[in-house]
Amino acid sequence: MSDRKFFVGGNWKMNGSITQYKSLITDLKNAKLDPKTQVVIAPPALYLLPAKDLLQDNDKIELSAQDGYHKPSGAFTGEISLVQLKDAGIPWVILGHSERRTIFHETDEDVATKTKAALEQGVNVILCVGETLEQREKNESIKVVISQVEAAAKNINDWSKVVIAYEPVWAIGTGKVATAEQAEEVHKAIRDWLAKSVSAEVAKTERIIYGGSVNGKNAKELASQPDIDGFLVGGASLKPEFVDIVNARL
Ligand code: PGA
């Protein structure tokens, strides 16, 4: 097993209510979490600051936004900028999630621009990449994923502030998890690409996490793969089994 710190993110997406976020965070604070796992939760933007208050006395659970806009301020109704996230003390942002790419038509170029803006603000990035079912069936998974990583990589000069999340689109929210072998193959391809195109050191230290229908039952096998360094969890991050995912390496 590598000495990369295991990383588990909880992406709540557009779910929850005031009552629910309070109870989810309180339960998580009271849970026995593997101290060797880095835990980051991403509630809807509306709940980030009250969540921060709730987590004030806790140094184990960090917060992430689910997106951030690259312009610092201005007439961009509905957006929240990376400058504002930094100002609010939110240390992480998810960028390039497949729902942003598919539903909101974000391109590789948009994701690269946002990545640049996040790193300029010192906000850590969970960079999401992944192929569609059609692309997998055409045997294009690795090509697609590498081109998505490559597009953002041109704007990344500090890889220690970036976690790459491999999330096959066909596995997100579908209950169809990638097999450990399928995930490992892509993770290894990303790591090999980093070794070739960035540096051996970055390839060795970069966390590459898996997302797509991870749950309390399948997490352990996935976590045992040499190039899987954690998870980005959607549905199961709203359930008690999130704790089992955080503890997958125990
Ligand atoms: P899921 O979502 O765990 O519900 O499949 C993962 C994600 O979108 O990050």
Side-chain angles (χ1 to χ4, degrees), residues 11 13 97-99 167 171-175 211-214 232-236:
N11 175 10
K13 310 192 178 183
H97 190 278
S98 80
E99 285 144 25
E167 299 205 296
I172 295 179
T174 57
S213 298
V214 176
L232 185 56
V233 186

